[in-house]
């Protein structure tokens, strides 16, 4: 089938941002090596030591201004132009997909750019220089300003937008995963759901992840090299 006749769903993980200079979680030197998740990425950690959690996320938020999208991000925004329907799900909390030109990005694990009011649960974009300081930040939505928390899905919390995600995968023709170790559910199980929906499943990853056996087609290597080549091949095949 030609790309312009295909409903394409893409799921990305930390591996697609690695070549932009953002650390992954479970590779050598990954984020969870230096900061055990129990200390910085659970609601209990936030209750127990909010300053440590806040410092961890403020440094990641500040880093967003130091990195740029890489060729893998731009390859996906090019693919989005040609597909009949293109739906991007990311486990990543960075904004590199948006900055590569993709308008609608579904962040299932939240976003570093946003902070969430602990009282109302409302999220607001807070990326001004004063928002990135080490002090806690406070909301603009409550009469008495309440403390803001990172708008991130921590371990033990519910991922976001799952109904929309399952609905889109149910009707897709092709399901592509880029840069994910297949460690964390429900993200790691989405390929299974895509297969049940009779989609063709394609994996692009540096190393063989835990769930690689689930894929019809696998490409091992760096996404920044493989994805642009693949997308150009798919476009050329479609123009024949
Ligand atoms: N190109 C392609 N793949 C890469 C690259 C690259 N340049 N560099 C690393 N990878 C692959 C690694 O081989 C690994 O399989 O990316 C994967 C990154 O795996 P993780 O660090 O586990 O990241 P991810 O799968 O996104 O983690 C899922 O776990 O900790 C939670 O919420 C966090 O969203 C995260 C979720």
């Amino acid at each position: 089938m030609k790309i312009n006749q295909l409903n394409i769903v893409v799921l990305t993980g930390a591996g697609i941002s690695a070549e932009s200079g953002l650390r992954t979680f479970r590779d050598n030197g990954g984020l969870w090596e230096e900061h055990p998740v129990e200390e910085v990425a659970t609601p209990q950690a936030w209750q127990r030591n909010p300053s440590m959690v806040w410092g961890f996320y403020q440094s990641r938020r500040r880093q967003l201004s130091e990195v740029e999208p890489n060729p893998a991000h731009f390859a996906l925004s090019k693919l989005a132009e040609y597909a009949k329907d293109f739906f991007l799900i990311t486990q990543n909390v960075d904004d590199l997909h948006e900055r590569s030109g993709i308008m609608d990005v579904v962040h299932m694990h939240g976003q570093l750019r946003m902070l969430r009011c602990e009282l109302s649960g409302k999220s607001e974009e807070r990326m001004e220089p004063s928002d990135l300081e080490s002090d806690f930040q406070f909301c603009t939505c409550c009469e008495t300003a309440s403390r803001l928390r990172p708008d991130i899905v921590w371990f033990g919390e519910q991922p976001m937008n799952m109904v929309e995600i399952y609905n889109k995968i149910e009707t897709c023709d092709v399901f592509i995963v880029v840069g994910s170790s297949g460690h964390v559910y429900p993200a790691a199980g989405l390929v299974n759901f895509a297969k049940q929906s009779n989609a063709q499943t394609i994996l692009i990853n540096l190393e063989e992840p835990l769930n690689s056996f689930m894929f019809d087609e696998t490409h091992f290597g760096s996404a920044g090299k493989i994805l642009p080549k693949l997308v150009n091949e798919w476009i050329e095949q479609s123009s024949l």
Side-chain angles (χ1 to χ4, degrees), residues 54-229:
W54 183 248
F56 174 67
Y57 283 96
Q58 285 298 71
S59 68
R60 293 178 69 196
R61 282 162 36 84
R62 284 191 287 267
Q63 193 188 13
L64 288 181
S65 62
E66 297 157 15
V67 294
E68 297 292 333
N70 68 62
H73 294 104
F74 289 113
L76 289 184
S77 53
K78 185 173 181 182
L79 180 61
E81 288 167 30
Y82 286 83
K84 178 182 161 197
D85 185 68
F86 183 85
F87 185 78
L88 176 64
I89 309 159
T90 187
Q91 299 172 87
N92 301 341
V93 292
D94 62 59
D95 59 354
L96 294 176
H97 284 306
E98 289 87 347
R99 288 165 57 194
S100 70
I102 296 184
M103 304 311 288
D104 300 319
V105 181
V106 174
H107 288 269
M108 61 186 291
H109 292 164
Q111 300 181 63
L112 287 171
R113 299 189 63 85
M114 309 293 282
L115 295 176
R116 190 191 313 166
C117 174
E118 287 197 279
L119 194 62
S120 72
K122 284 187 191 142
S123 303
E124 50 186 284
E125 174 149 343
R126 294 284 290 265
M127 285 300 285
E128 295 304 317
S130 58
D131 298 322
L132 300 173
E133 287 165 9
S134 50
D135 302 337
F136 288 120
Q137 297 295 319
F138 293 84
C139 78
T140 55
C141 57
C142 301
E143 253 178 70
T144 315
S146 305
R147 190 176 62 177
L148 292 167
R149 61 161 272 184
D151 195 17
I152 299 292
V153 176
W154 284 326
F155 286 89
E157 294 184 323
Q158 281 304 311
M160 301 173 175
N161 308 302
M162 291 312 295
V163 172
E164 185 187 15
I165 286 171
Y166 282 116
N167 287 341
K168 275 293 189 181
I169 294 176
E170 202 164 19
T171 57
C172 78
D173 303 304
V174 183
F175 180 74
I176 305 170
V177 175
V178 186
S180 187
S181 62
H183 260 91
V184 173
Y185 285 80
L190 294 179
V191 57
N192 201 356
F193 188 66
K195 285 180 79 68
Q196 289 165 19
S197 310
N198 298 317
Q200 188 195 350
T201 53
I202 302 172
L203 171 72
I204 294 130
N205 210 62
L206 189 63
E207 289 148 6
E208 186 158 3
L210 295 173
N211 59 353
S212 63
F213 65 95
M214 293 300 299
F215 290 88
D216 302 318
E217 186 182 319
T218 54
H219 304 266
F220 296 127
S222 71
K225 291 189 182 58
I226 292 174
L227 206 47
K229 194 165 156 288

